Structures are given as C-alpha cells and as structure tokens.
Amino acid sequence: MPRLQKILVVGGGTAGWLTACYLAKTLNASDARSVQVELVESPSIGALGVGEGTFPSIRGTLAAIGLDERRFFVGAAATFKQGVHFVDWVRPASEAGHHHYFHPFNHPSQRAGSPELLPYWLLGAAPAGMPFAQAVSMQQRIVEAGRAPKRMADGNYLGPMNYAYHFDAACFASVLAEHGQSLGVKRLLATVEHTELDEQGGIARVLTRELGALSADLYVDCTGLRGALIGGALQSPLRSLRDVLFCDRAVAVQVPDATPDAPIRPYTMASAQESGWIWDIGLQRRRGTGYVYSSQHTDAGRAEEVIRAYLGPAAEKLEARHIKFDPGYRPEPWRRNCVAVGLAGGVVEPLESTGIALVELGAYLISHLLPGDRNDMARTAKLYNQMMSARYERILDFIKMHYCITQRRDSKFWIDNVDPASIPNTLRDRLALWRHRPPHRLDFVTDLEMFMPASWQYVLYGMEFKTDLEPMRSAYPQGEAARREFATIQQVAGRAAGDLPDHRALVEQLCLEHAQEGRMEVAAPARMGG
Ligand code: FAD
C-alpha cells in the first residue's frame, strides 16, 4: 500500500495554521517516521484578518493542540466571550426603544431531579417578564456585572461558565505559527502561482514563485476566499446561499480603547441595522467592529455612514476597511487529493461566529478520517463532504432564523428576510412544529449540528417567538418545583457574580503570570550555571 507520507497546507491564515497544528499534533509530525506536515504561505498575499469572535469548541481545539491558555492570551491579545448580546433584532429602536436579548453559552440549568425549565417558562412560572436566558441561566447576570467566566485558579481551558474568546486574528495566526513549528510543522514562505494536475485529475504539484515545485500526497487548500486549488485547479463549484442569507459585504473599523483600563465586554454585541448588523467585540487594547450588510439593499458609502454613526466621535479619522464575500459553500470541499478548509471551503456571514468553528471541524475530521493509503481517498472524501455539507445546511437554518422571525418591517432588507421564499423548507417545518411544542433534543442529529437545542431556544424565545403550550398545560404538573428552581438560579447568579473576577482584571493577570513564568524559565539556567 502506498503510504500517505506528506501533507502540504497551502495558506497561513487562521485556517491554515489551525489545521496544520491539529494535523501535526494528531499525527505526531515531529517524529520523522510519521506523516510530515508542511505549510506554505504567501509573503505577499495578506490574510483576511477579521475572524475575531469564536465558539466554545475553540477551547477543546486549543487544548487538543497542546497550546497553553496563558500563552494564547498573550500571543493573540485574547479576551473572554460568554455569548452574544443582540440589540434591535426584534424591533427597530424607533418603535419602543432598544430591544435586547442574550444568547449565553451556558446551557439552561437542569439539576438532577428538577424539571426541564423551558415548558414552565413558556407557561409563565418564571418571575413576570423575565427573559428566557435570564430565567434559566446565571450567565446573563455574570456578563452584565462585567465578570470573567473563570477564576485565576481554574485550570487551562476550564471554568465554571462556558466560554469562548475574542482575539486579534493576525496575532492568533502568529501564535499558532510558532506553536505549529514546535509540533513539527515545516513552514515555507512562497506564493503558489500554478497547480499541475496528474492523470487522474488530482494535484501532482504546486508551482511557487520563490521555491519552485512543491508536492505532497494530500493538499489542504487554506488560501481563503481565493480557493486557489479547490476552486481554481480542481474547479469544485460553490453552492450559493445568497437566496437565503443576503449579507455579502462588510465594512470593518478597529477602534483603540480610550483608556488602558477601559472595561472589556465579556460578550459580542450584535446590533441590527437597516440593511444588516454591526459586530462589536472587545479585545485587550481595542474594539473590533464591522457592519455586515447586503449589497442588494444598500451601498458601501451608506454602510460606512452607518458604522461611523454607530461608533460616534471615536471613529473620526479611523480607517474603514471594505470586504466583499460571496455567501456559499462547496458541497465537494474534498476532491481527489485536495481538501479545502476555512474560507476556501465556504463563507457564511459572521453572525454567531461559525467560520473558525468550521475550520476546527475540518481539521478534526481530516485528522481522524485520514486514510493511511494515499491512493484510497475517494471514500474518505465522500464521508467528509457529506458531513461538512450537512453542517453548513444546519448552520444556514440557524443563522436564517435570526432574520426570519423578526417583527421588523422598517426596511426592504428586513421585509425580504421574512419572505417565505427565502426560508429553507427545513427551517419552515421546524418553526411550524415549534409553534405548538418547544425544540427538543430529538429534533437534532447532534453529530451534524454546531448549535445544540439550547442555542435554538435562546434565540427563538429571545426573539419573542410564540410557542403555545396551553393545550398541553396538564402535562406539566411541576410548576411549584420549577418556580423554586427559577428563584434558586437568581440567588446563585448573584453569588457567582460576586465570586468571579472582573473581566479585564483576569485577562491582565493571566498575561502577567505568563510573562513572569517566562522570565523564571529564562532566569533558571543562569542561576544553575552560576
Ligand atoms: P485568510 O485569513 O484569508 O488566509 C488565507 C491565507 O492564504 C493567507 O495566509 C494568504 O497569504 C494565503 N494565500 C492565499 N493565496 C495564496 C497563494 N496563492 N499561495 C500561498 N499562500 C496563499 N469567523 C469567525 O469564526 N468569527 C468571526 O467573528 C468572523 N468574522 C468574519 C467577518 C467577515 C466580514 C468575514 C468575511 C468572515 C468572518 N469570519 C469569522 C470567517 C473567518 O474570517 C475565517 O473563517 C477565518 O479567518 C479563516 O480564514 P482563512 O484562513 O480561510 O483565510
């Protein structure tokens, strides 16, 4: 059997380095007898550099590649993210002031022996007017108090609250590059200009400007929106998602903090606008912001006005970066001996931060499905393609739900978003079911879903979706127990908010401790020798 000996990752953004690290760690690439992992990145083509919000799966991924959490905080200028705070997604501010709801990462509380709380919340057992997320999870109180999800003493990637991160995308790629090389990834600096195919239509070699020909048994295309190998040489087509998700442009502005001790929000803000929405995330020294919008409904000039108005005087003289993307994915991201990961495989707009989570999934699947025989890739490719396509379709429904259950009718963008023709049948069916019963675990094939039932519930009920459980009231006789549980959650939330540290304080302490550990490591040999 011709053994798989070498993998070449083409591209050095988040997708390239995360995949290379994952492959190198899983395949033990630092052992010369193992599969070798090389990464070639262009010194002249920049990375997109805007993927700065993540999903909690990132913790498992960073732990799996063996990166220390403190090292990551320092290297990637990271902060904590505990969910997404949505503003004005249900109604425009002009109707009755700002509408808010929170999608926390914590699952709804469910203690052994106590009832599932959602039906009781729907039947009015929670304190009057209390939003679903606040009633069933303590995380909303924690973030409103500006608290971190963990304490200094909690271990690497562990904490009492579920969490992800915000980080500087360019710094993240650099820290991964350093870590990847320590795992045995060979880094090459060169731009791939041509791809030569073999007789079977697979890739024989890539030709670079600086280093000539490079060849491998498997090529991982991480060249970003270009999809230079998978879309260029192999011509794997894109399935457009434009008929469902209209946003296809962004204008991004980086806003330096006014003072070094400015509080950092421990969540992403997503504020709905006339033709899209604005992300606003807090890093260690700046905010990353951007207006994601539909070019069918507005233009770049107006979009820049909208984000500048949102930011106010803080944005004066700051550069605005305009980005185009084409929402869609490749149903066949793995073709012959080439697999695309990251933007080369597909782009879904950044609401709910699915981009990097899809990179994590791609890296995980390739590492674990990889065949040892380099001539036997077709079956693995088929399985990989089925799983990735299913994941994209589930994500598509989840993102679209944020738009299509709105009550907003104040602009053509929102009116078009509720047009039934733009809503996938799978989502329409589910929404119809959920008018009479809440989402249940059995509605989801969990291995194919990125978003668990709790996330669907937080968004549905945060957006005032109505599920009529009245006809089934008698099936829920544990109202008293549920009421006690709702009260307990509020008490525990108050205590937890007191126990957890301030967000910025913890981030700074983690970075400081890492720096001190580094100094001790450097100092130790000198003392021993002296
Ligand atoms: P890139 O970052 O573009 O990197 C491409 C790499 O390929 C670069 O290193 C480049 O030098 C190299 N390259 C290109 N061509 C060649 C060549 N010919 N030869 C050699 N090297 C080459 N995702 C999230 O999870 N959270 C978010 O908040 C988020 N926000 C986003 C906002 C916007 C507006 C967009 C469009 C996407 C967002 N995403 C987000 C998606 C996220 O940015 C990407 O999933 C992630 O950054 C991965 O990008 P990438 O590595 O595939 O591509």
Side-chain angles (χ1 to χ4, degrees):
M1 154 180 118
R3 193 168 69 84
L4 189 121
Q5 289 178 315
K6 191 161 112 187
I7 300 174
L8 179 67
V9 177
V10 182
T14 299
W17 277 112
L18 207 50
T19 308
C21 286
Y22 208 98
L23 286 166
K25 181 75 180 175
T26 320
L27 303 173
N28 195 20
S30 57
D31 183 333
R33 292 162 302 179
S34 186
V35 177
Q36 299 305 293
V37 180
E38 290 187 359
L39 182 145
V40 59
E41 61 184 314
S42 168
S44 52
I45 303 173
L48 185 67
V50 283
E52 299 187 327
T54 56
F55 190 69
S57 56
I58 190 74
R59 277 159 49 216
T61 301
L62 297 182
I65 63 171
L67 182 63
D68 177 76
E69 194 179 31
R70 287 158 212 230
R71 166 81 197 96
F72 158 71
F73 261 88
V74 173
T79 57
F80 290 103
K81 170 179 173 185
Q82 298 186 59
V84 185
H85 180 121
F86 290 89
V87 183
D88 297 340
W89 283 77
V90 174
R91 285 177 285 280
S94 55
E95 281 181 19
H98 290 293
H99 179 278
H100 300 265
Y101 81 94
F102 187 55
H103 171 192
F105 287 149
N106 268 21
H107 284 243
S109 170
Q110 168 112 54
R111 289 193 304 167
S114 62
E116 188 198 349
L117 292 175
L118 171 57
Y120 293 95
W121 179 83
L122 289 169
L123 290 166
M130 185 175 279
F132 175 63
Q134 191 182 341
V136 301
S137 152
M138 61 174 110
Q139 200 157 27
Q140 183 163 341
R141 285 276 289 280
I142 306 292
V143 302
E144 282 169 358
R147 302 291 157 174
K150 67 187 287 179
R151 297 147 301 193
M152 204 56 200
D154 290 317
N156 243 348
Y157 302 111
L158 300 174
M161 299 292 128
N162 194 9
Y163 65 90
Y165 309 103
H166 296 127
F167 51 62
D168 181 306
C171 297
F172 184 52
S174 299
V175 81
L176 289 176
E178 183 192 290
H179 185 66
Q181 289 172 88
S182 78
L183 295 174
V185 179
K186 185 172 167 196
R187 180 187 201 183
L188 306 167
L189 278 180
T191 302
V192 170
E193 293 189 309
H194 297 292
T195 305
E196 283 182 5
L197 298 183
D198 58 26
E199 281 143 21
Q200 290 79 42
I203 297 178
R205 61 194 68 79
V206 292
L207 305 178
T208 69
R209 195 183 303 159
E210 297 84 351
L211 302 172
L214 302 173
S215 59
D217 301 313
L218 178 68
Y219 298 80
V220 186
D221 185 346
C222 295
T223 57
L225 294 170
R226 283 177 177 75
L229 277 54
I230 193 77
L234 292 183
Q235 308 226 324
S236 174
L238 272 172
R239 158 162 144 61
S240 174
L241 301 177
R242 267 172 194 280
D243 50 338
V244 179
L245 296 180
F246 305 141
C247 289
D248 61 349
R249 298 281 188 278
V251 48
V253 181
Q254 297 188 350
V255 188
D257 286 345
T259 58
D261 58 353
I264 312 170
R265 288 191 196 110
Y267 52 85
T268 297
M269 289 268 288
S271 304
Q273 305 291 328
E274 60 197 24
S275 302
W277 62 280
I278 289 177
W279 80 77
D280 189 342
I281 67 170
L283 302 181
Q284 291 179 13
R285 299 275 166 257
R286 67 166 171 87
R287 281 153 65 202
T289 70
Y291 180 23
V292 187
Y293 63 93
S294 155
S295 64
Q296 291 171 59
H297 296 90
T298 190
D299 60 33
R302 174 66 192 150
E304 197 169 323
E305 269 172 37
V306 169
I307 189 152
R308 287 190 183 282
Y310 170 88
L311 293 169
E316 271 171 30
K317 301 199 183 102
L318 294 179
E319 188 197 344
R321 217 180 117 214
H322 291 264
I323 299 161
K324 288 185 186 176
F325 59 95
D326 198 356
Y329 71 91
R330 294 183 207 278
E332 216 186 328
W334 192 327
R335 190 172 259 201
R336 313 273 180 205
N337 60 347
C338 175
V339 54
V341 177
L343 297 170
V347 201
V348 177
E349 64 134 285
L351 193 66
E352 299 280 7
S353 300
T354 53
I356 295 167
L358 282 160
V359 170
E360 295 171 49
L361 177 72
Y364 175 86
L365 291 178
I366 298 168
S367 302
H368 295 286
L369 300 178
L370 197 64
D373 179 349
R374 71 180 145 92
N375 287 342
D376 187 22
M377 283 197 196
R379 276 182 283 266
T380 306
K382 189 172 166 195
L383 182 60
Y384 180 92
N385 293 339
Q386 281 167 351
M387 294 186 90
M388 283 310 267
S389 296
R391 190 61 76 108
Y392 270 104
E393 292 294 331
R394 308 311 323 125
I395 287 173
L396 175 67
D397 280 5
F398 184 65
I399 304 289
K400 179 65 179 182
M401 183 171 77
H402 294 66
Y403 289 101
C404 74
I405 59 173
T406 183
Q407 296 165 30
R408 290 187 71 134
R409 302 289 185 272
D410 53 302
S411 67
K412 186 153 185 330
F413 175 78
W414 293 102
I415 292 168
D416 287 351
N417 257 301
V418 298
D419 180 346
S422 76
I423 306 175
N425 287 339
T426 41
L427 177 59
R428 256 190 285 170
D429 283 351
R430 283 179 168 184
L431 291 173
L433 281 171
W434 295 337
R435 288 279 173 211
H436 306 289
R437 65 154 176 85
H440 190 275
R441 190 174 53 80
L442 296 172
D443 289 322
F444 305 91
V445 182
T446 44
D447 263 357
L448 301 178
E449 299 282 347
M450 176 166 159
F451 296 96
M452 294 301 117
S455 288
W456 295 77
Q457 295 167 359
Y458 285 130
V459 174
L460 277 173
Y461 301 116
M463 293 199 67
E464 303 182 2
F465 184 84
K466 297 284 179 276
T467 298
D468 182 9
L469 266 196
E470 263 326 304
M472 302 293 286
R473 185 176 272 277
S474 53
Y476 299 100
Q478 296 189 67
E480 257 326 297
R483 256 184 281 279
R484 279 197 302 276
E485 201 57 27
F486 285 126
T488 306
I489 292 168
Q490 298 316 304
Q491 283 160 12
V492 178
R495 282 205 298 275
D499 287 347
L500 287 163
D502 171 74
H503 184 203
R504 179 180 283 283
L506 182 70
V507 169
E508 288 182 353
Q509 213 181 336
L510 285 169
C511 294
L512 186 69
E513 195 163 285
H514 178 75
Q516 284 169 345
E517 276 166 14
R519 270 203 295 279
M520 277 158 59
E521 276 165 28
V522 172
R527 275 203 304 276
M528 281 160 65

